[in-house]
């Protein structure tokens, strides 16, 4: 099977997994992967991630022109911005999952990191999670904000919207997204109780042991 056929099938499988795990609902969210030749496969706009069809997935040139498939996600431009800034990124997951979106609707004192480092896996898979200001879905101005944050971060949180997570494969991006959602859930379960996040020393130790 060609790389493109494999990746189309993988997008369908992962979309279904995320939908069945209730991390995606309705037609919210979008997934993309970058092929070895630089072209991008991205889920079509208004598609339900639970019922994707491989041949209808949009294929774009590295410059964002539609080569085949249905019209792409209205947010394809921020996928392109992340790929341009992160050469090692091969996949991107953007969803509107409940706990992460709830976190994105809070007033944050520290916009450099919207969630505390509660667990080692959050630090390993997600890292710091900057909060990006609110933009209307599909607003091209969002690309510049996403581009700037993606220079240093593999994950970010769009205010009143949801996370964007990149990875070196679709599995890696999905697993990191799931970790982020679990941390957001823990954050709300802990609520007003005094949490004990990982110390700076513990985080440095994790970064040394598992460099990203
Ligand atoms: P698309 O259906 O255009 O991908 O938009 C969905 C979405 O998640 C908007 O934020």
């Amino acid at each position: 099977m060609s790389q493109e056929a494999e990746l189309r099938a993988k997008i369908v499988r992962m979309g279904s997994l995320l939908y069945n795990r209730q991390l995606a609902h309705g037609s919210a969210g979008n997934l993309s992967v970058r092929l070895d030749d630089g072209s991008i496969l991205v889920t079509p706009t208004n598609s339900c991630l639970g019922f994707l069809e491989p041949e209808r997935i949009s294929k774009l040139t590295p410059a964002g022109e539609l080569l085949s498939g249905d019209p792409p996600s209205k947010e394809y431009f921020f996928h392109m911005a992340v790929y341009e800034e992160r050469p090692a990124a091969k996949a991107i997951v953007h969803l509107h999952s409940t706990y992460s979106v709830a976190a994105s609707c809070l007033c944050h004192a520290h916009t450099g990191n919207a969630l505390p480092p509660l667990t080692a896996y959050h630090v390993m898979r997600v890292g710091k999670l900057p909060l990006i200001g609110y933009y209307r879905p599909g607003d091209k101005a969002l690309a510049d904000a996403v581009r700037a944050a993606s220079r240093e971060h593999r994950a970010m949180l769009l205010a009143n919207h949801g996370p964007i997570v990149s990875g070196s494969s679709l599995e890696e991006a999905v697993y990191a997204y799931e970790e982020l959602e679990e941390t957001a859930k823990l954050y709300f379960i802990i609520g007003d109780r005094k949490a004990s996040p990982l110390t700076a020393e513990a985080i440095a130790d994790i970064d040394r042991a598992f460099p990203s």
Side-chain angles (χ1 to χ4, degrees), residues 27-30 43-47 72-75 94-96 137-138 161:
S27 65
N30 33 72
T43 50
T45 190
N46 297 325
S47 55
S73 168
K74 67 173 94 50
E75 289 172 335
H94 164 66
L95 304 173
H96 299 176
H161 188 164

Side-chain angles (χ1 to χ4, degrees), residues 159-191:
N160 306 86
H161 188 164
I164 302 173
V165 179
S166 64
S168 61
S169 66
L170 188 55
E171 288 89 340
E172 189 182 294
V174 166
Y175 298 161
Y177 191 102
E178 290 182 296
E179 206 58 53
L180 198 173
E181 177 69 5
E182 291 303 316
T183 302
K185 189 171 178 180
L186 291 172
Y187 180 67
F188 285 103
I189 288 173
I190 292 169

Side-chain angles (χ1 to χ4, degrees), residues 90-142:
K90 298 288 182 219
I92 295 169
V93 175
H94 164 66
L95 304 173
H96 299 176
S97 53
T98 308
Y99 289 94
S100 298
V101 174
S104 84
C105 297
L106 295 176
C107 294
H108 288 272
H110 306 292
T111 53
N113 193 10
L115 287 174
L118 293 173
T119 68
Y121 258 65
H122 179 79
V123 172
M124 285 157 59
R125 301 285 188 246
V126 179
K128 280 207 177 111
L129 183 74
L131 183 75
I132 309 293
Y134 173 76
Y135 293 83
R136 163 181 60 71
D139 183 345
K140 294 254 180 346
L142 177 56

Side-chain angles (χ1 to χ4, degrees), residues 64-82:
E65 288 138 12
L66 183 64
L67 289 169
S68 66
D70 287 356
S73 168
K74 67 173 94 50
E75 289 172 335
Y76 78 89
F77 58 87
F78 73 54
H79 290 247
M80 317 293 296
V82 173

